[in-house]
Every structure is written in C-alpha cells, then in structure tokens.
Amino acid sequence: MASGEPDSDYGVTKMDMSLRIQSDAGITEYADLTTEAELVTQRLDSPAKFTFTCIQQGVCGIEAGNHVSFAVGGVPLFKGYVFTIEQNQDGEITCTAYDQLRYLKANASYVFEAMTLGQMIQQIAADFNLTCGTLEDTGYAFPCLIKENESCLDIIFDALAETIYRTGRIFNFYDDNGALTLREAKNMYVNTLIGDSSLMTEYTYKKDIDSDTYNRVKLVKANSETGKADVYLHEDTETIKKWGLLQYYDEVDENMNEAQIDQLCQTYLAYYNRVLQTVSFEAVGVKEIRADTIVPVRIGAVNDLQISRLLLTEKVTHKFEADTHTMNIEVKDFGQLGGMNLV
C-alpha cells in the first residue's frame, strides 16, 4: 500500500508512453508528437473518452474510425476509435476517441427471457459486432425483460441497476481495453492509499440534501380494472421534520405485484433518505485506477474518512502533460458504501 510522498514509480515520460494509431497504411506511433493527453472513465452510462493533442506538419494522417491504443509503462490503458479530429493553423491536431461502449448508444428493441445480464450483453454485442471479454455470472436471470426503441447503453445499465438491486452485489460494466467486460466490484481493488501524505495534492468535500436525497418515496402502478392508479408510499417523519418533504415519485411496471412494489419502496427510501456525501481529489497519477475500481482513501479533516475506507470510484480523469501524470478522482455517496458488498 502506498504511503508518504510519491516516488518515481508514479512519474511518466514520453519514453513510457505509447500512442499508436492504426489506419489502412499501417500502425504509426504518435507518442513523441503528443503534447498532452486525457483519459476519462465513468462508472455509469458513458464510454471511456480519450483525447490527445499532437503536433504534425502537413496533411493530418489520422482519419475518423482509426483504431487507437494507449499504454503507459507497458500497461494498456485505452483501446478505441477516433470520432473527432480538429486541426489548426499551428499544426496542432486534437483527436477524441471512444471505446466500444460508444457504439451501444444505438437504439434497438429486445425481448430477453430467462437471461442473465452477461447473456444480454453477449447478444447485444453480437448484433453490433463488438468484442466481449470476461462476463462474470451475476447469479440472477431476468424472467422476462422487454425493451422497445431504447439505446443499448440504457438497456444494459438499467439491467445492471436491477441486477445490483436483486443480488445486493455491485457489478461494473465497461470496456477493458477492447473487450466488453462485466465484473463484480470487489474484484477491482487497487491497493494504493490516496489521501493525507499519500499522493493527494488537494480535495473538495461536499454534503448536501439538494441533488439526490428523498425522505418520501411514492410509487404508482396503473390499475386496468379500476382505471385508477394504485399508490404505494413510504416516508421518514423524522427527516421530514429536519429537512422538509423531499419526494421521490415514479411509475412502476404493471406486472409487479404488491409485495414487490412495497419492497422497492422500502429499498429506495433506505438508500435515498440520507445526506449525500461526495469527495473529489487531485492526486499524482496511478495508472491502474479507473472508474469502477475500489481504492483506500484517508482524509483526516473529513469525519467519515479519518480512518482509511474503501471507496468505489465514480469518475476518474487522467492527464498526461509535459512528463507529468496527474488524476482527478470523484466518489459519490460514499456514506452509503458501508452496507454494500465491496470486498
């Protein structure tokens, strides 16, 4: 576990970097031409985004659709495809590439019967000619899931959320260097302490009840027999007195029975009826850390982080510039993680 001041193992030079573009003409190494690069990964709903700027005289040799691979110190960090190319009069070329999840933004309709999330991913990937890697068995099969004209990314992440709710285990879906991957969060632990006197350079901590806090949950289901809606409601009178009434409202599937809806109400209230805690920190870059990974964090000035805690990263931004590697890590709702199966 890392501690104390960062050492040379966390530095980066252009000699450490490899940025290869594959086109019809072959593979070209762009690391020596690159002035800066940024890799952003998010835990939910988004493909990894890799942006790099290089200096090249004459005609730009990079084309839309070219394959990009980026590695640091021999460790692959990104594989994807160029989607945007910008060039200015000074010879600066800025490219934006995304991994395979970008192609899952396409809309489609599916009927999944007695299938696990991993099997759904396999079917969708086959339809879009995407490559799959490790797809861990979640242990939960959907009896029947019908999706009409929705983005494949939404279909998968909605099913992921339902799987987490049904199993009580946190799973992550992402592109692992060119392979669609489904893994349980506890298998994505990075043993590097981030915090006081350990890689962190600054942090921002926030508590709020403004963005994602509810102390009343109201779920309704259409009733075809009565022509009215059946209402299910759970609330916490104590926090309503403290914060005022903050209501979560949603319509549920007509196929859900009363017990299922009541349980869903309880689950939502147990999760949302809290003060939301978020922390964002800048640190010396650690290439093994991406969104979805679990890292130990200790910040003495934050009450719930005075003792090292394992946190699930929500968003991670790596920046490479002038032989320096830094990162920004965002963690959301870490006050709730104590009850989740992280390890």
Side-chain angles (χ1 to χ4, degrees), residues 12-284:
V12 61
T13 68
K14 286 188 178 180
M15 293 294 290
D16 297 322
M17 291 172 49
S18 174
L19 201 174
R20 296 178 177 177
I21 310 293
Q22 183 176 350
S23 64
D24 293 339
I27 298 176
T28 304
E29 176 62 69
Y30 275 83
D32 289 341
L33 302 175
T34 300
T35 58
E36 59 183 1
E38 179 179 277
L39 175 60
V40 181
T41 55
Q42 300 189 63
R43 195 169 78 84
L44 299 173
D45 303 333
S46 298
K49 179 182 179 181
F50 180 63
T51 306
F52 63 95
T53 299
C54 57
I55 303 295
Q56 186 176 18
Q57 299 302 321
V59 178
C60 175
I62 303 173
E63 299 289 344
N66 283 173
H67 182 268
V68 180
S69 60
F70 178 66
V72 175
V75 177
L77 299 186
F78 175 84
K79 289 184 180 179
Y81 303 89
V82 174
F83 274 76
T84 304
I85 307 159
E86 297 181 15
Q87 184 175 1
N88 64 23
Q89 69 278 2
D90 297 323
E92 284 188 338
I93 300 167
T94 300
C95 299
T96 300
Y98 297 97
D99 62 19
Q100 288 187 109
L101 266 65
R102 170 62 179 78
Y103 297 103
L104 294 175
K105 287 188 174 183
N107 279 26
S109 297
Y110 284 97
V111 176
F112 301 108
E113 294 185 349
M115 295 178 69
T116 64
L117 177 56
Q119 291 169 329
M120 295 178 194
I121 293 170
Q122 282 183 313
Q123 181 174 330
I124 294 173
D127 291 342
F128 286 85
N129 298 316
L130 303 178
T131 301
C132 287
T134 300
L135 299 172
E136 294 183 0
D137 184 10
T138 63
Y140 174 74
F142 289 78
C144 183
L145 184 64
I146 301 173
K147 295 290 184 176
E148 295 184 2
N149 194 26
E150 293 188 31
S151 81
C152 295
L153 207 57
D154 287 343
I155 292 173
I156 291 173
F157 277 107
D158 285 351
L160 174 65
E162 179 72 8
T163 297
I164 293 172
Y165 161 66
R166 294 289 183 181
T167 64
R169 299 155 61 196
I170 299 176
F171 289 90
N172 298 319
F173 172 64
Y174 62 103
D175 185 328
D176 186 9
N177 293 297
L180 298 180
T181 300
L182 180 67
R183 296 185 67 192
E184 192 168 0
K186 70 178 184 180
N187 297 325
M188 299 178 65
Y189 173 59
V190 176
N191 188 28
T192 300
L193 177 66
I194 307 292
D196 298 331
S197 302
S198 181
L199 305 181
M200 185 182 71
T201 56
E202 60 182 85
Y203 75 89
T204 301
Y205 169 67
K206 183 175 75 170
K207 297 192 294 184
D208 77 87
I209 59 170
D210 185 44
S211 56
D212 207 22
T213 297
Y214 305 98
N215 47 29
R216 172 189 283 176
V217 176
K218 184 176 182 180
L219 302 180
V220 299
K221 183 182 78 167
N223 189 322
S224 57
E225 294 182 0
T226 64
K228 299 180 180 180
D230 295 332
V231 177
Y232 301 81
L233 188 145
H234 283 258
E235 64 181 23
D236 185 330
T237 56
E238 291 301 314
T239 56
I240 290 175
K241 291 178 183 177
K242 290 172 61 178
W243 306 333
L245 177 60
L246 301 169
Q247 179 171 286
Y248 177 93
Y249 176 91
D250 199 7
E251 299 177 0
V252 299
D253 193 314
E254 292 184 39
N255 295 318
M256 294 183 69
N257 61 39
E258 182 175 343
Q260 290 172 326
I261 301 173
D262 191 66
Q263 179 59 50
L264 191 60
C265 258
Q266 294 182 47
T267 301
Y268 281 178
L269 184 63
Y271 180 79
Y272 288 115
N273 183 37
R274 81 288 188 246
V275 175
L276 179 65
Q277 297 186 80
T278 58
V279 63
S280 170
F281 40 87
E282 302 285 340
V284 175

Side-chain angles (χ1 to χ4, degrees), residues 297-309:
V297 175
R298 183 182 66 230
I299 303 175
V302 176
N303 185 54
D304 282 347
L305 296 176
Q306 290 179 341
I307 299 174
S308 177
R309 292 188 62 186

